[in-house]
C-alpha cells in the first residue's frame, strides 16, 4: 500500500469517542421521527420484526464492511474505492453515496426544522389546553406554510455547517458524548408516561403483537430502507467515519455496539409513541407528522410537561445535528479531497446546494403541493386511488429505499469479492491481535447472503420481481 500522510487528517480521540460519534450519526430523526411513522404506516409489530431481522443479518455486516473500507483506505468513500480497487469502476459507488447524501440531507433539514419549531412552541407553552385534533391542525398548518419551516431549515443547515467546520475531534466528538445519554433518559421517561395512559395497551399490542397479513412486498422494502437509514449505512457515512477511526479500535465491537444502541432507541421511541397514538385516537398511519402530533399530547399529560418538552425537542435537535453533520461530512470530504476545494469553501458550497434542494422539499405541502405523483404499491392502494407522494416523500423514498439498499449491496459485494481478503482480515482482527472466529461467517454473509437478500427485497419491493 502506498504511504499516505495521515498527519493532516483529523481523527477520533478515544474509544468512546469513536462509538459516540458513530452512534451519534446513527441515532437521530431516523429513530425518533422516521421509525414510528414508517412502522405506523406498515402495520406495526410485523414490520418491527422484519426490521430487526434486517438489522442483524444485513445492517450489521454492511456497517462492519463500511468501517473496514474506511479505515483501510483512510479516505472519503469515492477516494477509498478508487484506492482499494484502482482502475475499476467501484468509485461510482462512492459517487452514488455523495448523491444520496444530497438527497437525505435535503429532507432531513426539513424535519429538523420542524423540531426547531417545536422547541419554540414548547417555550411559548403552545401545546397547553389543546385537544388532539387541535394539535393535529397546529402541525399541519405549520407544515403547509412557507416562511417558518424554511427559516428553521436554514438555521439548522447553518448549524450543521458550523459544526462540520469545527472539525472531527473538537466538533463532532465533544457534543455527542454528554448529550446523548441525557436524551436516552428523557425517552425512557416518555415511555413510562405513554404506557401508563388509559388505553395504552392497544398501542403496545400494535407494536409487539405481529399480524403478518399486514406485510406486503413494499413494506418489506420499507423495513430494509428503514434499517439502512437508521444505521446510517449504504452511502459511505460510515466509510468516512471509519477513515477517522484509530488503528487500535475493534471494528466489530464498535459496529455491534452502535447497532444495538440505535435499535434500542428506535424501540424505545416506538414504546413512547404508539401507546399514546392509541390513547389519543391518532391514526398510526398519519405519516411524517406522527411524532409531532403525538408527543405534544403526551407532554400535556405530564407534570412539568412544558419544561420537559423544551428539553426533549432541544435534545432531539442535537441528535439530528450529530446525524446531519455525518451526512454533510460525506459531501465535504468528497469536495475537498477529490475536487480539491478548500475545506471551508467545500462546506459552504455543499451546504448551499443541499439547502437549495431542501427548501423545495420543505415547500412540498405548501407552495409546491401540486408537484406530486400517485403511487400504488398494494391492492388497497389501487382500490383507493393510490398514495399521493409529494417532493418530500419522493426524496425520502428514493434515498432510503433505493439509494441506500443499492449502495449497501455494492459495499458488501466490494468487501466480499473485490477487496483483498488479507486486508479485510487485517482490519477486522487489527492485524491479528483479536481472535476472529466469526470472520468466516462474516465473509459468507457479505459474499452471498446479504447481496442476495438485498437484491431480492429490492427487486420485489419495486415490483420488478413478484413473490
Ligand atoms: N441515521 C440517521 C438517523 O437515524 C440518518 C442518516 C442516514 C445519517 C444516512 C447518515 C446517513 O437520523
Amino acid at each position: 500500500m502506498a504511504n499516505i500522510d495521515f498527519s493532516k487528517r483529523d481523527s477520533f480521540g478515544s474509544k468512546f469517542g469513536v462509538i459516540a460519534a458513530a452512534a451519534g450519526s446513527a441515532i437521530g430523526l431516523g429513530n425518533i421521527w422516521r421509525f414510528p411513522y414508517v412502522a405506523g404506516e406498515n402495520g406495526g409489530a410485523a414490520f418491527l420484526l422484519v426490521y430487526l431481522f434486517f438489522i442483524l443479518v444485513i445492517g450489521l455486516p454492511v456497517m462492519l464492511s463500511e468501517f473496514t473500507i474506511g479505515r483501510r483506505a483512510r479516505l472519503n468513500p469515492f477516494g477509498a474505492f478508487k484506492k482499494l480497487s484502482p482502475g475499476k469502476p467501484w468509485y461510482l459507488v462512492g459517487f452514488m453515496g455523495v448523491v444520496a447524501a444530497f438527497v437525505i440531507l435535503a429532507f432531513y433539514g426539513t424535519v429538523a426544522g420542524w423540531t426547531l419549531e417545536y422547541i419554540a412552541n414548547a417555550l411559548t407553552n403552545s401545546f397547553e389546553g389543546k385537544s388532539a385534533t387541535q394539535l393535529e391542525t397546529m402541525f399541519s398548518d405549520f407544515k403547509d406554510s412557507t416562511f417558518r419551516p424554511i427559516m428553521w431549515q436554514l438555521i439548522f443547515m447553518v448549524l450543521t455547517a458550523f459544526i462540520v467546520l469545527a472539525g472531527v475531534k473538537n466538533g463532532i466528538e465533544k457534543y455527542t458524548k454528554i448529550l446523548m445519554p441525557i436524551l436516552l433518559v428523557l425517552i425512557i421517561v416518555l415511555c413510562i408516561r405513554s404506557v401508563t395512559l388509559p388505553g395504552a395497551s392497544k398501542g403496545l399490542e400494535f407494536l409487539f403483537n405481529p399480524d403478518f397479513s399486514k406485510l406486503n412486498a413494499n413494506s418489506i422494502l420499507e423495513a430494509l430502507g428503514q434499517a439502512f437509514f437508521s444505521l446510517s449505512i449504504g452511502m459511505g457515512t460510515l466509510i468516512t467515519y471509519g477513515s477517522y477511526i484509530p488503528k487500535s479500535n475493534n471494528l466489530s465491537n464498535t459496529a455491534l455496539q452502535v447497532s444495538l444502541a440505535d435499535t434500542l432507541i428506535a424501540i424505545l421511541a416506538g414504546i413512547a409513541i404508539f401507546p399514546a397514538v392509541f390513547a389519543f385516537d391518532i391514526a398510526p398511519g398519519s405519516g411524517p407528522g406522527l411524532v409531532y402530533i403525538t408527543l405534544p399530547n403526551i407532554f400535556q399529560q405530564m407534570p412539568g410537561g412544558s419544561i420537559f418538552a423544551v428539553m426533549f425537542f432541544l435534545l432531539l435537535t442535537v441528535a439530528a445535528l450529530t446525524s446531519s453533520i455525518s451526512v454533510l461530512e460525506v459531501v465535504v470530504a468528497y469536495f475537498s479531497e477529490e475536487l480539491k476545494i478548500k475545506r471551508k469553501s467545500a462546506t459552504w458550497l455543499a451546504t448551499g446546494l443541499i439547502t437549495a434542494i431542501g427548501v423545495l422539499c420543505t415547500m412540498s405541502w405548501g407552495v409546491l403541493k401540486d408537484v406530486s405523483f400517485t403511487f400504488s404499491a398494494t391492492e388497497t392502494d389501487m382500490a383507493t386511488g393510490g398514495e399521493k407522494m409529494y417532493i418530500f416523500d419522493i426524496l425520502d423514498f428514493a434515498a432510503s429505499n433505493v439509494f441506500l439498499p443499492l449502495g449497501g449491496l455494492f459495499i458488501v459485494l466490494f468487501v466480499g469479492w473485490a477487496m483483498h481478503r488479507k486486508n479485510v482480515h487485517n482490519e477486522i482482527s487489527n492485524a491479528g491481535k483479536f481472535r476472529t472466529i466469526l470472520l468466516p461467517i462474516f465473509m459468507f454473509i457479505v459474499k452471498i447472503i446479504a447481496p442476495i437478500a438485498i437484491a431480492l427485497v429490492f427487486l420485489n419491493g419495486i415490483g420488478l420481481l413478484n413473490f
Side-chain angles (χ1 to χ4, degrees):
M1 223 174 67
N3 271 330
I4 33 170
D5 181 12
F6 290 163
S7 58
K8 281 209 229 61
R9 292 198 102 230
D10 214 345
S11 92
F12 292 124
S14 66
K15 194 164 121 199
F16 186 65
V18 172
I19 295 169
S25 167
I27 298 164
L29 296 169
N31 309 60
I32 292 158
W33 155 72
R34 202 175 187 282
F35 172 75
Y37 115 67
V38 178
E41 283 182 337
N42 289 284
F47 174 89
L48 173 63
L49 281 181
V50 179
Y51 167 75
L52 293 176
F53 177 77
F54 285 155
I55 294 267
L56 192 70
V57 179
I58 300 177
L60 197 55
V62 174
M63 186 182 286
L64 184 53
S65 299
E66 290 204 23
F67 284 156
T68 303
I69 297 171
R71 192 171 67 177
R72 186 80 216 159
R74 298 241 164 240
L75 281 171
N76 67 82
F78 185 89
F81 284 109
K82 232 159 113 179
K83 178 172 164 193
L84 298 178
S85 186
K88 306 251 173 64
W90 284 105
Y91 61 85
L92 290 174
V93 183
F95 188 73
M96 194 167 82
V98 176
V99 176
F102 262 84
V103 177
I104 288 180
L105 198 46
F107 72 81
Y108 209 82
T110 304
V111 183
W114 297 348
T115 311
L116 289 174
E117 166 82 3
Y118 271 62
I119 301 178
N121 283 342
L123 277 171
T124 50
N125 223 352
S126 317
F127 308 136
E128 195 151 290
K130 289 208 167 72
S131 66
T133 323
Q134 284 171 321
L135 288 169
E136 217 160 328
T137 314
M138 177 175 158
F139 177 75
S140 61
D141 285 350
F142 160 68
K143 180 189 67 166
D144 299 351
S145 66
T146 310
F147 177 71
R148 285 176 77 89
I150 294 178
M151 171 188 84
W152 291 126
Q153 175 171 36
L154 296 182
I155 294 176
F156 180 81
M157 293 304 294
V158 169
L159 284 172
T160 302
F162 271 128
I163 302 179
V164 165
L165 281 176
V168 178
K169 210 179 299 175
N170 296 325
I172 300 174
E173 217 181 299
K174 203 163 78 190
Y175 303 96
T176 46
K177 279 196 237 181
I178 330 155
L179 296 171
M180 288 306 100
I182 309 179
L183 180 64
L184 177 66
V185 174
L186 294 192
I187 298 174
I188 293 173
V189 177
L190 271 181
C191 288
I192 296 171
R193 176 65 278 208
S194 188
V195 298
T196 50
L197 288 166
S201 59
K202 268 213 216 125
L204 290 173
E205 204 169 295
F206 179 80
L207 187 62
F208 294 117
N209 191 7
D211 171 2
F212 287 98
S213 68
K214 286 187 179 153
L215 285 180
N216 57 48
N218 188 62
S219 50
I220 293 173
L221 176 61
E222 290 273 0
L224 183 69
Q226 176 58 26
F228 272 81
F229 186 87
S230 191
L231 292 176
S232 301
I233 54 178
M235 54 165 268
T237 309
L238 298 183
I239 295 181
T240 310
Y241 272 24
S243 75
Y244 303 123
I245 298 181
K247 282 288 173 201
S248 58
N249 188 269
N250 184 336
L251 296 182
S252 325
N253 283 351
T254 302
L256 191 65
Q257 283 156 345
V258 171
S259 306
L260 274 177
D262 187 69
T263 308
L264 176 73
I265 303 275
I267 294 176
L268 287 175
I271 299 175
I273 299 294
F274 287 110
V277 162
F278 284 86
F280 298 114
D281 210 10
I282 298 164
S286 297
L290 184 68
V291 290
Y292 297 90
I293 298 166
T294 311
L295 288 174
N297 281 299
I298 311 179
F299 295 133
Q300 281 216 47
Q301 304 291 323
M302 291 170 67
S306 59
I307 301 168
F308 199 82
V310 174
M311 274 170 65
F312 181 85
F313 286 118
L314 203 68
L315 288 178
L316 184 56
T317 305
V318 175
L321 275 171
T322 58
S323 301
S324 62
I325 52 177
S326 74
V327 186
L328 185 59
E329 180 63 30
V330 171
V331 185
V332 172
Y334 171 72
F335 278 4
S336 63
E337 290 176 359
E338 300 301 316
L339 307 183
K340 307 286 178 239
I341 303 172
K342 282 213 192 73
R343 213 182 135 86
K344 193 166 173 192
S345 324
T347 306
W348 289 115
L349 179 65
T351 306
L353 292 173
I354 292 168
T355 310
I357 310 173
V359 166
L360 300 179
C361 196
T362 303
M363 294 194 290
S364 288
W365 302 269
V367 187
L368 296 177
K369 69 170 178 301
D370 294 326
V371 189
S372 72
F373 91 108
T374 310
F375 179 74
S376 305
T378 60
E379 277 163 30
T380 354
D381 279 348
M382 287 174 202
T384 55
E387 189 192 334
K388 205 168 178 180
M389 289 180 88
Y390 298 102
I391 299 178
F392 178 93
D393 307 296
I394 296 167
L395 294 190
D396 184 353
F397 184 91
S400 314
N401 302 346
V402 181
F403 281 114
L404 299 186
L406 283 183
L409 173 66
F410 289 117
I411 287 165
V412 283
L413 284 175
F414 183 79
V415 171
W417 299 95
M419 246 177 110
H420 289 302
R421 197 186 157 108
K422 194 185 85 226
N423 288 346
V424 177
H425 180 262
N426 263 337
E427 287 308 323
I428 292 178
S429 71
N430 286 12
K433 241 175 66 206
F434 307 129
R435 286 197 305 149
T436 46
I437 19 170
L438 293 178
L439 190 70
I441 299 178
F442 171 72
M443 289 311 288
F444 181 65
I445 292 181
V446 292
K447 271 185 154 130
I448 298 169
I449 306 279
I452 294 179
I454 298 171
L456 289 182
V457 173
F458 179 69
L459 294 173
N460 193 32
I462 58 168
L464 280 180
L465 259 184
N466 233 323
F467 289 114

